[in-house]
Amino acid sequence: MPTLLITSSPSLQQHLQAALDRELEVYDSLSALAEQPQRGVQGVVWVDVDNQDEALLARLCRGDFGRARVIVLSSTPSDRQAVQWLGAGAAGFLHAFSQPATLRQADAVVAADGIWIGIGLMQQLCARFGQVARTDSPLLAQLTERERDVVGHLREGKSNKQIARDMDISERTVKAHLTAIFGKLGCRTGCSCC
């Protein structure tokens, strides 16, 4: 199964191809990929969010074009973008020109059905969930009952897939709850995620 890359940047194409050490099937835009309706997109798809149609990217993340695992790349990443795209269903978010070892790790994690989140954003989320985990936390009052249930499962170290199964909801719904939780907990918008 080929690895897809959606970018109009030759330098990003060269950087990612060298980092992953394999040939990439490259499209310069999401619309070029979307014009091939007979093709079900599968596997890991890397998308350079810069200069792309965000509505098409959201559809790709949701699975409208197949069972793709989407890694969103940005030349100017921010935590706000990370939360936006992970909440939309992306399996990863990182700086487009991350170190090759980081790109390989992200590729391996996402290919194994995991979620790649940069360390800065993960540290923020852990700190915030640590605050929420206290039963006397005023932050809990900001969350809906279902969001508090999700936080409870997260405290137990469960993955999105396990939470979805335990709560009898889809993984997409779990991600939507997490996006709402992140927003309510005020993850800062400056980039420290990469």
Side-chain angles (χ1 to χ4, degrees), residues 2-5 12-25 44-46 71 73 94 96 98-109 111:
T3 300
L4 300 180
L5 171 62
L12 177 57
Q13 178 182 346
Q14 291 170 351
H15 179 68
L16 189 61
Q17 192 162 319
L20 299 180
D21 195 27
R22 62 178 175 262
E23 290 294 318
L24 304 172
E25 187 174 331
V44 177
V45 178
W46 297 77
I71 298 176
L73 301 167
L94 64 158
S98 293
Q99 293 294 318
T102 302
L103 294 169
R104 286 190 295 275
Q105 287 175 345
D107 186 58
V109 166

Side-chain angles (χ1 to χ4, degrees), residues 4-18 24-30 46-52 73-76 95-98 103:
L4 300 180
L5 171 62
I6 315 299
T7 187
S8 59
S9 168
S11 59
L12 177 57
Q13 178 182 346
Q14 291 170 351
H15 179 68
L16 189 61
Q17 192 162 319
L24 304 172
E25 187 174 331
V26 182
Y27 292 85
D28 59 353
S29 71
L30 280 166
W46 297 77
V47 180
D48 177 8
V49 72
D50 301 328
N51 303 313
Q52 293 296 333
L73 301 167
S74 175
S75 296
T76 56
H95 193 287
F97 291 94
S98 293
L103 294 169

Side-chain angles (χ1 to χ4, degrees), residues 8-181:
S8 59
S9 168
S11 59
L12 177 57
Q13 178 182 346
Q14 291 170 351
H15 179 68
L16 189 61
Q17 192 162 319
L20 299 180
D21 195 27
R22 62 178 175 262
E23 290 294 318
L24 304 172
E25 187 174 331
V26 182
Y27 292 85
D28 59 353
S29 71
L30 280 166
S31 55
L33 181 66
E35 290 170 1
Q36 299 184 12
Q38 74 280 5
R39 177 186 182 151
V41 181
Q42 295 184 8
V44 177
V45 178
W46 297 77
V47 180
D48 177 8
V49 72
D50 301 328
N51 303 313
Q52 293 296 333
D53 181 330
E54 290 193 3
L56 280 178
L57 179 52
R59 289 182 56 207
L60 179 66
C61 291
R62 277 197 314 263
D64 290 358
F65 302 120
R67 298 183 45 88
R69 303 275 298 153
V70 179
I71 298 176
V72 177
L73 301 167
S74 175
S75 296
T76 56
S78 68
D79 291 345
R80 181 197 54 75
Q81 275 186 310
V83 170
Q84 172 190 352
W85 292 115
L86 293 167
F93 180 87
L94 64 158
H95 193 287
F97 291 94
S98 293
Q99 293 294 318
T102 302
L103 294 169
R104 286 190 295 275
Q105 287 175 345
D107 186 58
V109 166
V110 171
D113 288 333
I115 303 291
W116 179 266
I117 298 174
I119 192 163
L121 181 60
M122 181 58 78
Q123 288 170 335
Q124 286 183 57
L125 297 177
C126 289
R128 290 296 192 161
F129 282 125
Q131 292 172 358
V132 171
R134 296 189 331 258
T135 55
D136 63 340
S137 171
L139 293 173
L140 277 177
Q142 298 176 37
L143 306 180
T144 67
E145 182 178 342
R146 292 298 271 179
E147 291 165 352
R148 286 190 297 271
D149 289 344
V150 169
V151 170
H153 287 285
L154 285 172
R155 274 189 257 148
E156 295 171 14
K158 295 180 181 176
S159 69
N160 288 358
K161 189 177 284 191
Q162 292 170 314
I163 294 169
R165 189 174 40 248
D166 290 353
M167 292 181 67
D168 197 28
I169 57 178
S170 71
E171 279 188 77
R172 187 181 307 171
T173 303
V174 172
K175 290 177 184 177
H177 285 308
L178 289 172
T179 300
I181 292 166

